[in-house]
Amino acid sequence: MVEPSTPAPPREPVTAPPRRPAFDRRRAWLITAMIVAFMLINYADKSVLGLAAVPIMDELEISNSTYGMISSSFALLFSLSGLVVGFVSARVSSRVLLFTMAAVWAVAQLPVLFVASVPALVAGRVLLGAAEGPAASMSMHALYKWFPANLRGLPSALQISGAALGTLFAAPVVTWLITAFGWRSAFVVLAVTSAVWSLVWWKVGHDGPYGEDRAPGPGTRAPRDHASAPHDRDGTLAPAPAPASAPAPAPPERLPYRRLLLNGTVLGSIAGAFGASWALALSHAWLPVYLRTRLELTPGGAAAVISAISAFSLVLLLSVPPLVDRLRRRGRSARWTSGAPQGIAVLLAALAMAALPFVDGPAPHLVLLGLAFGGHAIVFPLHYMTASAVVPPVQRGAVFGVVAATGTLPGLVAPYVTGHLLDSADSPGAGYAHAFLLSAAVMLVCGLLALAAIRPERDARRLNPAPQTEGSKPLAQ
Protein backbone atom coordinates (compact mmCIF):
# COMPACT_ATOMS: atom_id res chain seq x y z
CA MET A 1 0.00 0.00 0.00
CA VAL A 2 1.46 3.30 -1.00
CA GLU A 3 1.72 5.99 1.67
CA PRO A 4 0.00 9.24 0.68
CA SER A 5 2.57 11.86 -0.10
CA THR A 6 2.76 14.88 2.17
CA PRO A 7 1.84 18.00 0.27
CA ALA A 8 4.71 20.44 -0.17
CA PRO A 9 4.39 23.61 1.88
CA PRO A 10 3.21 26.57 -0.15
CA ARG A 11 6.03 28.67 -1.45
CA GLU A 12 6.01 32.31 -0.49
CA PRO A 13 5.73 34.55 -3.51
CA VAL A 14 8.97 36.17 -4.53
CA THR A 15 8.56 39.88 -4.78
CA ALA A 16 11.03 42.40 -6.01
CA PRO A 17 12.44 44.68 -3.34
CA PRO A 18 10.40 47.87 -3.21
CA ARG A 19 11.81 50.98 -4.77
CA ARG A 20 11.97 53.79 -2.29
CA PRO A 21 10.46 57.19 -3.13
CA ALA A 22 12.37 59.26 -5.66
CA PHE A 23 13.82 62.62 -4.75
CA ASP A 24 11.01 65.15 -5.30
CA ARG A 25 13.12 68.08 -6.42
CA ARG A 26 10.26 70.56 -6.91
CA ARG A 27 8.65 69.95 -3.52
CA ALA A 28 12.04 69.88 -1.78
CA TRP A 29 12.96 73.32 -3.08
CA LEU A 30 9.49 74.69 -2.28
CA ILE A 31 10.02 73.57 1.33
CA THR A 32 13.49 75.13 1.24
CA ALA A 33 12.02 78.47 0.11
CA MET A 34 9.45 78.36 2.91
CA ILE A 35 12.11 77.57 5.51
CA VAL A 36 14.36 80.37 4.23
CA ALA A 37 11.41 82.75 4.68
CA PHE A 38 10.83 81.25 8.13
CA MET A 39 14.42 82.02 9.15
CA LEU A 40 14.23 85.49 7.59
CA ILE A 41 11.23 86.35 9.78
CA ASN A 42 12.93 84.70 12.75
CA TYR A 43 15.96 86.96 12.55
CA ALA A 44 13.92 90.05 11.79
CA ASP A 45 12.00 89.38 15.01
CA LYS A 46 15.25 89.03 16.92
CA SER A 47 16.82 92.19 15.52
CA VAL A 48 13.85 94.55 15.88
CA LEU A 49 14.62 95.37 19.53
CA GLY A 50 18.22 96.30 18.73
CA LEU A 51 17.23 98.42 15.75
CA ALA A 52 14.64 100.23 17.86
CA ALA A 53 16.88 100.40 20.95
CA VAL A 54 17.80 104.09 20.80
CA PRO A 55 14.22 105.47 20.51
CA ILE A 56 12.95 102.91 23.05
CA MET A 57 15.68 103.80 25.55
CA ASP A 58 14.98 107.51 25.06
CA GLU A 59 11.19 107.19 25.37
CA LEU A 60 11.21 104.87 28.40
CA GLU A 61 14.32 106.46 29.96
CA ILE A 62 16.06 103.17 30.67
CA SER A 63 19.77 102.57 31.37
CA ASN A 64 22.21 100.40 29.45
CA SER A 65 21.95 97.68 32.10
CA THR A 66 18.14 97.67 31.93
CA TYR A 67 18.20 97.49 28.15
CA GLY A 68 20.75 94.66 28.39
CA MET A 69 18.42 92.84 30.79
CA ILE A 70 15.49 93.26 28.38
CA SER A 71 17.59 91.93 25.52
CA SER A 72 18.88 88.98 27.57
CA SER A 73 15.33 88.07 28.66
CA PHE A 74 14.82 86.83 25.10
CA ALA A 75 17.11 83.91 25.97
CA LEU A 76 15.48 83.07 29.32
CA LEU A 77 13.48 80.17 27.83
CA PHE A 78 15.25 80.05 24.46
CA SER A 79 17.62 77.18 25.24
CA LEU A 80 15.13 75.27 27.41
CA SER A 81 12.44 75.34 24.73
CA GLY A 82 14.96 74.28 22.10
CA LEU A 83 15.89 71.31 24.26
CA VAL A 84 12.30 70.27 25.04
CA VAL A 85 11.02 70.65 21.49
CA GLY A 86 14.00 68.68 20.20
CA PHE A 87 12.78 65.63 22.08
CA VAL A 88 9.14 66.33 21.21
CA SER A 89 10.10 66.30 17.51
CA ALA A 90 10.38 62.50 17.66
CA ARG A 91 6.60 62.32 18.11
CA VAL A 92 5.24 65.51 16.52
CA SER A 93 5.57 66.38 12.84
CA SER A 94 7.74 69.25 11.68
CA ARG A 95 4.66 70.74 10.00
CA VAL A 96 2.90 71.18 13.35
CA LEU A 97 6.02 72.39 15.18
CA LEU A 98 6.94 75.14 12.71
CA PHE A 99 3.31 76.29 12.37
CA THR A 100 3.00 76.65 16.14
CA MET A 101 6.28 78.54 16.45
CA ALA A 102 5.41 81.12 13.80
CA ALA A 103 1.92 81.66 15.26
CA VAL A 104 3.42 82.33 18.69
CA TRP A 105 5.91 84.80 17.15
CA ALA A 106 2.94 86.87 15.98
CA VAL A 107 1.39 86.87 19.46
CA ALA A 108 4.71 87.75 21.11
CA GLN A 109 4.89 91.12 19.34
CA LEU A 110 1.59 92.30 20.82
CA PRO A 111 2.24 93.16 24.53
CA VAL A 112 4.34 96.23 23.82
CA LEU A 113 1.62 97.59 21.51
CA PHE A 114 -0.84 97.81 24.41
CA VAL A 115 1.52 98.92 27.21
CA ALA A 116 4.89 100.46 26.32
CA SER A 117 6.86 99.54 29.43
CA VAL A 118 9.81 97.49 30.58
CA PRO A 119 7.59 94.61 31.85
CA ALA A 120 5.73 94.49 28.52
CA LEU A 121 9.01 94.42 26.60
CA VAL A 122 10.33 91.64 28.84
CA ALA A 123 7.11 89.61 28.52
CA GLY A 124 7.17 89.86 24.73
CA ARG A 125 10.84 88.96 24.49
CA VAL A 126 10.51 85.97 26.84
CA LEU A 127 7.57 84.59 24.83
CA LEU A 128 9.37 85.27 21.55
CA GLY A 129 12.53 83.55 22.80
CA ALA A 130 10.56 80.49 23.92
CA ALA A 131 9.00 80.20 20.45
CA GLU A 132 12.23 80.90 18.57
CA GLY A 133 14.50 78.62 20.62
CA PRO A 134 13.75 75.53 18.51
CA ALA A 135 13.42 77.44 15.22
CA ALA A 136 16.86 76.89 13.70
CA SER A 137 17.25 73.26 14.76
CA MET A 138 13.69 72.19 13.94
CA SER A 139 13.60 73.94 10.57
CA MET A 140 16.91 72.26 9.69
CA HIS A 141 15.43 68.96 10.87
CA ALA A 142 12.39 69.55 8.64
CA LEU A 143 14.65 70.43 5.71
CA TYR A 144 16.73 67.25 6.11
CA LYS A 145 13.54 65.22 5.60
CA TRP A 146 13.42 66.43 1.99
CA PHE A 147 17.06 65.92 0.92
CA PRO A 148 19.37 62.89 0.91
CA ALA A 149 22.59 63.22 2.90
CA ASN A 150 24.82 63.97 -0.09
CA LEU A 151 22.65 66.92 -1.19
CA ARG A 152 22.21 68.76 2.11
CA GLY A 153 25.06 71.29 1.93
CA LEU A 154 23.35 73.91 -0.24
CA PRO A 155 19.91 73.59 1.43
CA SER A 156 21.61 73.88 4.83
CA ALA A 157 23.42 77.00 3.69
CA LEU A 158 20.20 78.50 2.34
CA GLN A 159 18.39 77.76 5.60
CA ILE A 160 21.03 79.58 7.62
CA SER A 161 21.21 82.31 4.95
CA GLY A 162 17.69 83.21 6.01
CA ALA A 163 19.35 84.70 9.08
CA ALA A 164 21.62 86.88 6.97
CA LEU A 165 18.74 87.81 4.68
CA GLY A 166 16.63 88.62 7.73
CA THR A 167 19.19 91.13 8.89
CA LEU A 168 20.05 92.29 5.37
CA PHE A 169 16.45 93.26 4.61
CA ALA A 170 15.20 93.86 8.14
CA ALA A 171 17.79 96.50 8.95
CA PRO A 172 16.75 99.03 6.25
CA VAL A 173 13.03 98.13 6.26
CA VAL A 174 12.61 98.13 10.04
CA THR A 175 14.71 101.28 10.33
CA TRP A 176 12.50 102.97 7.75
CA LEU A 177 9.35 101.90 9.62
CA ILE A 178 10.77 103.19 12.91
CA THR A 179 11.82 106.50 11.39
CA ALA A 180 8.64 107.08 9.38
CA PHE A 181 5.92 105.61 11.61
CA GLY A 182 7.47 105.09 15.05
CA TRP A 183 9.09 102.04 16.60
CA ARG A 184 5.75 100.31 17.37
CA SER A 185 4.99 99.99 13.65
CA ALA A 186 7.87 97.55 13.23
CA PHE A 187 6.35 95.22 15.81
CA VAL A 188 2.96 95.35 14.04
CA VAL A 189 4.43 94.51 10.63
CA LEU A 190 6.42 91.57 12.02
CA ALA A 191 3.36 90.20 13.83
CA VAL A 192 1.33 90.21 10.60
CA THR A 193 4.19 88.65 8.62
CA SER A 194 4.58 85.77 11.09
CA ALA A 195 0.83 85.08 11.02
CA VAL A 196 0.72 84.97 7.21
CA TRP A 197 3.71 82.61 7.02
CA SER A 198 2.15 80.19 9.52
CA LEU A 199 -1.02 79.93 7.41
CA VAL A 200 0.91 79.25 4.19
CA TRP A 201 3.11 76.67 5.91
CA TRP A 202 0.07 74.78 7.18
CA LYS A 203 -0.99 74.44 3.56
CA VAL A 204 2.33 73.27 2.04
CA GLY A 205 4.67 72.21 4.85
CA HIS A 206 4.28 68.44 4.95
CA ASP A 207 7.08 66.16 6.16
CA GLY A 208 9.44 64.66 3.58
CA PRO A 209 10.47 61.01 3.00
CA TYR A 210 14.12 61.14 4.11
CA GLY A 211 14.45 60.10 7.72
CA GLU A 212 10.89 59.75 8.99
CA ASP A 213 11.85 59.89 12.61
CA ARG A 214 8.73 60.05 14.73
CA ALA A 215 8.90 57.40 17.41
CA PRO A 216 7.37 54.09 16.29
CA GLY A 217 4.59 52.46 18.20
CA PRO A 218 5.04 49.33 20.35
CA GLY A 219 6.25 46.32 18.42
CA THR A 220 7.10 48.27 15.29
CA ARG A 221 10.49 48.77 13.78
CA ALA A 222 11.76 52.31 13.46
CA PRO A 223 11.83 53.25 9.77
CA ARG A 224 15.15 53.44 8.09
CA ASP A 225 16.53 56.82 7.21
CA HIS A 226 16.45 57.08 3.44
CA ALA A 227 19.38 59.49 3.66
CA SER A 228 21.65 56.54 4.46
CA ALA A 229 20.38 54.49 1.51
CA PRO A 230 22.17 54.30 -1.85
CA HIS A 231 21.41 57.18 -4.20
CA ASP A 232 21.85 57.91 -7.85
CA ARG A 233 23.87 60.98 -8.78
CA ASP A 234 20.78 63.21 -8.89
CA GLY A 235 19.71 62.14 -5.41
CA THR A 236 17.10 59.58 -6.55
CA LEU A 237 16.99 56.63 -4.20
CA ALA A 238 18.23 53.42 -5.77
CA PRO A 239 16.30 50.17 -5.32
CA ALA A 240 17.04 48.30 -2.11
CA PRO A 241 19.73 45.61 -2.68
CA ALA A 242 18.64 41.99 -2.79
CA PRO A 243 19.12 40.23 0.56
CA ALA A 244 22.35 38.29 0.93
CA SER A 245 22.52 34.83 2.44
CA ALA A 246 23.49 36.31 5.80
CA PRO A 247 22.11 39.71 6.72
CA ALA A 248 24.71 42.43 7.06
CA PRO A 249 24.86 44.34 10.34
CA ALA A 250 22.86 47.57 10.15
CA PRO A 251 23.71 50.83 11.85
CA PRO A 252 22.15 51.18 15.29
CA GLU A 253 18.72 52.76 15.18
CA ARG A 254 19.11 54.20 18.68
CA LEU A 255 22.05 54.93 20.96
CA PRO A 256 22.15 56.15 24.56
CA TYR A 257 21.97 59.94 24.58
CA ARG A 258 24.91 60.05 26.97
CA ARG A 259 27.12 58.47 24.31
CA LEU A 260 25.76 60.70 21.56
CA LEU A 261 26.13 63.96 23.49
CA LEU A 262 29.55 63.29 25.01
CA ASN A 263 31.41 62.35 21.85
CA GLY A 264 33.95 64.84 20.55
CA THR A 265 32.11 65.76 17.34
CA VAL A 266 28.90 66.81 19.09
CA LEU A 267 30.80 68.62 21.86
CA GLY A 268 32.96 70.39 19.28
CA SER A 269 29.87 71.36 17.30
CA ILE A 270 28.36 72.82 20.47
CA ALA A 271 31.57 74.76 21.17
CA GLY A 272 31.59 76.23 17.66
CA ALA A 273 27.93 77.19 17.96
CA PHE A 274 28.55 78.77 21.38
CA GLY A 275 31.36 80.98 20.06
CA ALA A 276 29.42 82.04 16.99
CA SER A 277 26.26 82.67 19.04
CA TRP A 278 28.16 84.96 21.41
CA ALA A 279 29.02 87.26 18.52
CA LEU A 280 25.49 86.93 17.12
CA ALA A 281 23.85 87.86 20.45
CA LEU A 282 26.16 90.87 20.77
CA SER A 283 25.31 91.86 17.21
CA HIS A 284 21.53 91.72 17.71
CA ALA A 285 21.53 93.59 21.02
CA TRP A 286 24.37 96.11 20.84
CA LEU A 287 25.77 96.54 17.32
CA PRO A 288 23.02 99.01 16.24
CA VAL A 289 23.50 100.99 19.47
CA TYR A 290 27.28 100.97 19.02
CA LEU A 291 27.03 102.27 15.47
CA ARG A 292 24.62 105.02 16.51
CA THR A 293 26.30 106.18 19.73
CA ARG A 294 30.02 105.40 19.31
CA LEU A 295 30.52 105.79 15.55
CA GLU A 296 27.84 108.51 15.43
CA LEU A 297 26.11 107.12 12.34
CA THR A 298 22.63 108.15 11.31
CA PRO A 299 19.85 105.52 11.54
CA GLY A 300 20.15 104.93 7.80
CA GLY A 301 23.95 104.72 7.99
CA ALA A 302 23.80 102.19 10.81
CA ALA A 303 21.26 100.13 8.87
CA ALA A 304 23.51 100.20 5.81
CA VAL A 305 26.50 98.91 7.82
CA ILE A 306 24.41 96.12 9.36
CA SER A 307 23.12 95.16 5.91
CA ALA A 308 26.67 95.11 4.52
CA ILE A 309 27.79 92.77 7.31
CA SER A 310 24.80 90.53 6.56
CA ALA A 311 25.66 90.54 2.85
CA PHE A 312 29.18 89.39 3.72
CA SER A 313 27.70 86.58 5.84
CA LEU A 314 25.41 85.63 2.96
CA VAL A 315 28.34 85.33 0.54
CA LEU A 316 30.10 82.98 2.96
CA LEU A 317 26.94 80.93 3.50
CA LEU A 318 26.28 80.49 -0.21
CA SER A 319 29.87 79.57 -1.08
CA VAL A 320 31.40 77.48 1.72
CA PRO A 321 28.75 74.76 2.39
CA PRO A 322 28.28 73.88 -1.32
CA LEU A 323 32.07 73.60 -1.54
CA VAL A 324 31.93 71.24 1.43
CA ASP A 325 29.40 69.09 -0.46
CA ARG A 326 31.68 68.85 -3.49
CA LEU A 327 34.71 67.94 -1.39
CA ARG A 328 32.75 65.28 0.50
CA ARG A 329 31.56 63.71 -2.76
CA ARG A 330 35.22 63.50 -3.77
CA GLY A 331 35.99 61.52 -0.62
CA ARG A 332 37.57 64.24 1.53
CA SER A 333 37.44 63.86 5.30
CA ALA A 334 34.47 65.46 7.09
CA ARG A 335 36.87 66.66 9.78
CA TRP A 336 38.68 68.95 7.35
CA THR A 337 35.78 69.85 5.07
CA SER A 338 33.13 70.73 7.67
CA GLY A 339 34.81 70.48 11.09
CA ALA A 340 37.93 72.58 10.76
CA PRO A 341 36.16 75.49 8.98
CA GLN A 342 33.95 75.93 12.05
CA GLY A 343 36.89 76.35 14.39
CA ILE A 344 38.80 78.58 11.98
CA ALA A 345 35.79 80.86 11.40
CA VAL A 346 35.27 81.40 15.14
CA LEU A 347 39.00 82.00 15.69
CA LEU A 348 39.19 84.62 12.94
CA ALA A 349 36.09 86.38 14.28
CA ALA A 350 37.65 86.35 17.77
CA LEU A 351 40.86 87.95 16.53
CA ALA A 352 38.88 90.68 14.74
CA MET A 353 36.83 91.28 17.89
CA ALA A 354 40.02 91.61 19.97
CA ALA A 355 41.49 94.14 17.53
CA LEU A 356 38.44 96.44 17.52
CA PRO A 357 39.41 98.53 20.60
CA PHE A 358 42.85 99.27 19.16
CA VAL A 359 42.07 100.65 15.70
CA ASP A 360 41.23 104.16 14.60
CA GLY A 361 39.58 105.38 11.44
CA PRO A 362 36.27 104.31 9.95
CA ALA A 363 37.61 102.02 7.18
CA PRO A 364 39.61 99.55 9.32
CA HIS A 365 36.93 99.75 11.98
CA LEU A 366 34.21 98.68 9.56
CA VAL A 367 36.37 95.87 8.13
CA LEU A 368 36.95 94.45 11.61
CA LEU A 369 33.25 94.77 12.44
CA GLY A 370 32.44 92.77 9.32
CA LEU A 371 34.87 89.98 10.27
CA ALA A 372 33.86 89.94 13.94
CA PHE A 373 30.10 89.94 13.39
CA GLY A 374 29.82 88.28 9.97
CA GLY A 375 32.76 85.90 9.60
CA HIS A 376 31.34 83.30 11.98
CA ALA A 377 28.19 82.73 9.88
CA ILE A 378 29.33 79.45 8.28
CA VAL A 379 29.42 77.78 11.68
CA PHE A 380 25.63 77.50 11.84
CA PRO A 381 25.00 75.22 8.84
CA LEU A 382 28.23 73.26 9.34
CA HIS A 383 27.67 72.41 13.00
CA TYR A 384 24.36 70.76 12.12
CA MET A 385 26.09 68.77 9.36
CA THR A 386 28.85 67.51 11.65
CA ALA A 387 26.45 66.64 14.47
CA SER A 388 24.09 64.78 12.14
CA ALA A 389 27.01 62.71 10.80
CA VAL A 390 27.27 60.76 14.06
CA VAL A 391 23.61 60.61 15.12
CA PRO A 392 21.02 57.95 14.15
CA PRO A 393 18.20 59.61 12.18
CA VAL A 394 15.54 58.72 14.74
CA GLN A 395 17.45 60.76 17.36
CA ARG A 396 18.56 63.61 15.11
CA GLY A 397 15.84 66.07 16.14
CA ALA A 398 16.55 65.58 19.84
CA VAL A 399 20.30 66.01 19.42
CA PHE A 400 19.78 69.09 17.24
CA GLY A 401 17.65 70.49 20.06
CA VAL A 402 20.41 69.85 22.62
CA VAL A 403 23.08 71.36 20.37
CA ALA A 404 20.93 74.43 19.75
CA ALA A 405 20.00 74.77 23.43
CA THR A 406 23.58 74.70 24.71
CA GLY A 407 25.14 76.46 21.75
CA THR A 408 22.82 79.47 22.02
CA LEU A 409 23.22 80.10 25.77
CA PRO A 410 25.27 83.28 25.03
CA GLY A 411 22.00 85.02 24.22
CA LEU A 412 21.17 84.84 27.92
CA VAL A 413 24.54 86.24 29.04
CA ALA A 414 26.22 88.45 26.43
CA PRO A 415 23.65 91.31 26.16
CA TYR A 416 23.30 91.82 29.92
CA VAL A 417 27.04 91.53 30.61
CA THR A 418 27.73 94.11 27.90
CA GLY A 419 25.18 96.53 29.38
CA HIS A 420 26.68 96.08 32.85
CA LEU A 421 30.20 96.71 31.50
CA LEU A 422 29.00 99.90 29.79
CA ASP A 423 27.38 101.25 32.96
CA SER A 424 30.33 100.35 35.20
CA ALA A 425 33.13 101.63 32.94
CA ASP A 426 34.66 105.10 33.17
CA SER A 427 33.49 105.87 29.65
CA PRO A 428 31.38 104.22 26.94
CA GLY A 429 34.53 103.63 24.90
CA ALA A 430 36.15 101.74 27.77
CA GLY A 431 32.96 99.74 28.33
CA TYR A 432 32.82 98.61 24.71
CA ALA A 433 36.54 97.76 24.79
CA HIS A 434 36.01 95.51 27.82
CA ALA A 435 33.00 93.87 26.15
CA PHE A 436 34.88 93.21 22.90
CA LEU A 437 37.91 91.74 24.69
CA LEU A 438 35.73 89.48 26.84
CA SER A 439 33.87 88.31 23.73
CA ALA A 440 37.13 87.63 21.93
CA ALA A 441 38.40 85.48 24.82
CA VAL A 442 35.22 83.38 24.90
CA MET A 443 35.25 82.92 21.12
CA LEU A 444 38.96 82.03 21.06
CA VAL A 445 38.43 79.16 23.51
CA CYS A 446 35.37 77.93 21.58
CA GLY A 447 37.18 78.02 18.25
CA LEU A 448 40.11 76.00 19.57
CA LEU A 449 37.77 73.39 21.07
CA ALA A 450 35.86 73.04 17.81
CA LEU A 451 39.05 72.72 15.80
CA ALA A 452 40.41 69.97 18.05
CA ALA A 453 37.28 67.97 18.85
CA ILE A 454 35.22 67.65 15.64
CA ARG A 455 36.16 64.32 14.02
CA PRO A 456 33.02 62.78 12.50
CA GLU A 457 34.60 59.67 10.95
CA ARG A 458 36.40 58.70 14.15
CA ASP A 459 33.35 59.25 16.34
CA ALA A 460 31.02 57.44 13.93
CA ARG A 461 33.29 54.37 14.16
CA ARG A 462 33.33 54.58 17.95
CA LEU A 463 29.55 54.84 18.16
CA ASN A 464 29.01 52.06 15.60
CA PRO A 465 31.87 49.59 16.12
CA ALA A 466 30.20 46.70 14.22
CA PRO A 467 32.37 45.48 11.33
CA GLN A 468 31.26 47.01 8.07
CA THR A 469 30.40 44.52 5.34
CA GLU A 470 28.66 44.85 2.03
CA GLY A 471 25.27 46.41 2.55
CA SER A 472 26.08 48.11 5.84
CA LYS A 473 26.61 51.82 6.30
CA PRO A 474 28.45 53.83 8.95
CA LEU A 475 26.64 56.65 10.69
CA ALA A 476 28.78 59.34 9.10
CA GLN A 477 27.44 60.50 5.78
Side-chain angles (χ1 to χ4, degrees):
M1 185 173 180
V2 179
E3 294 283 340
S5 59
T6 304
R11 299 181 63 183
E12 295 187 4
V14 178
T15 58
R19 184 177 180 87
R20 298 181 183 89
F23 174 46
D24 188 344
R25 186 181 302 274
R26 180 175 298 179
R27 174 54 71 91
W29 287 110
L30 172 62
I31 295 296
T32 302
M34 287 296 298
I35 287 177
V36 170
F38 177 83
M39 293 299 295
L40 190 154
I41 299 167
N42 173 283
Y43 277 81
D45 286 343
K46 288 180 181 178
S47 63
V48 65
L49 182 67
L51 293 169
V54 173
I56 289 175
M57 292 171 72
D58 290 342
E59 180 178 328
L60 302 184
E61 298 180 349
I62 59 178
S63 66
N64 290 310
S65 296
T66 302
Y67 168 73
M69 179 272 294
I70 296 170
S71 187
S72 286
S73 68
F74 173 83
L76 187 63
L77 298 177
F78 187 93
S79 296
L80 178 61
S81 66
L83 181 64
V84 171
V85 174
F87 285 95
V88 170
S89 69
R91 297 186 179 275
V92 180
S93 74
S94 299
R95 179 193 185 205
V96 172
L97 291 176
L98 268 61
F99 168 82
T100 304
M101 281 183 248
V104 175
W105 297 353
V107 175
Q109 307 292 358
L110 301 179
V112 75
L113 302 179
F114 298 105
V115 181
S117 64
V118 171
L121 284 168
V122 170
R125 298 306 284 183
V126 170
L127 181 59
L128 184 65
E132 291 199 351
S137 58
M138 291 303 99
S139 60
M140 188 72 80
H141 181 46
L143 191 64
Y144 278 15
K145 294 180 181 182
W146 283 98
F147 289 90
N150 64 333
L151 295 178
R152 288 176 179 165
L154 180 57
S156 298
L158 291 172
Q159 186 260 15
I160 297 297
S161 74
L165 288 170
T167 308
L168 181 66
F169 292 117
V173 172
V174 172
T175 300
W176 172 74
L177 287 170
I178 293 169
T179 303
F181 305 103
W183 59 268
R184 291 170 182 80
S185 65
F187 288 80
V188 173
V189 170
L190 289 174
V192 173
T193 304
S194 296
V196 170
W197 186 93
S198 67
L199 295 175
V200 177
W201 174 256
W202 187 254
K203 176 76 173 176
V204 303
H206 299 282
D207 286 4
Y210 296 94
E212 174 56 60
D213 51 5
R214 277 170 282 173
T220 61
R221 176 182 175 87
R224 181 186 179 194
D225 180 27
H226 296 185
S228 63
H231 293 80
D232 296 333
R233 289 178 61 89
D234 65 351
T236 302
L237 286 161
S245 55
E253 292 172 352
R254 281 188 178 274
L255 289 170
Y257 281 104
R258 179 180 59 82
R259 290 187 63 198
L260 288 176
L261 298 175
L262 294 181
N263 76 79
T265 294
V266 172
L267 290 176
S269 299
I270 290 172
F274 192 97
S277 294
W278 190 284
L280 190 63
L282 202 64
S283 171
H284 286 152
W286 286 105
L287 182 57
V289 182
Y290 178 78
L291 294 172
R292 292 284 309 277
T293 60
R294 290 299 302 156
L295 299 190
E296 299 181 347
L297 298 180
T298 64
V305 170
I306 294 170
S307 294
I309 294 173
S310 299
F312 172 58
S313 299
L314 187 60
V315 170
L316 292 178
L317 287 168
L318 295 180
S319 57
V320 174
L323 176 61
V324 168
D325 267 355
R326 287 196 295 272
L327 293 175
R328 291 300 312 281
R329 286 195 291 268
R330 294 176 183 176
R332 303 296 174 85
S333 163
R335 180 190 180 189
W336 297 111
T337 57
S338 53
Q342 294 178 57
I344 293 171
V346 175
L347 288 173
L348 291 177
L351 293 176
M353 191 83 73
L356 275 171
F358 306 105
V359 298
D360 293 319
H365 214 110
L366 293 176
V367 170
L368 290 175
L369 285 172
L371 291 173
F373 293 109
H376 63 270
I378 62 169
V379 172
F380 296 109
L382 295 184
H383 87 279
Y384 284 117
M385 294 173 68
T386 50
S388 69
V390 297
V391 175
V394 72
Q395 294 170 285
R396 187 174 59 214
V399 172
F400 277 8
V402 173
V403 172
T406 50
T408 55
L409 283 174
L412 184 61
V413 180
Y416 175 74
V417 168
T418 300
H420 178 71
L421 290 173
L422 286 171
D423 281 342
S424 61
D426 295 333
S427 66
Y432 280 113
H434 296 160
F436 289 148
L437 291 175
L438 173 62
S439 301
V442 171
M443 295 166 65
L444 186 66
V445 172
C446 291
L448 290 173
L449 287 174
L451 193 60
I454 298 176
R455 299 187 180 192
E457 289 88 358
R458 179 201 64 182
D459 290 329
R461 287 192 297 269
R462 289 180 176 178
L463 291 169
N464 182 29
Q468 300 299 317
T469 60
E470 185 179 358
S472 66
K473 291 280 184 181
L475 285 175
Q477 294 294 331

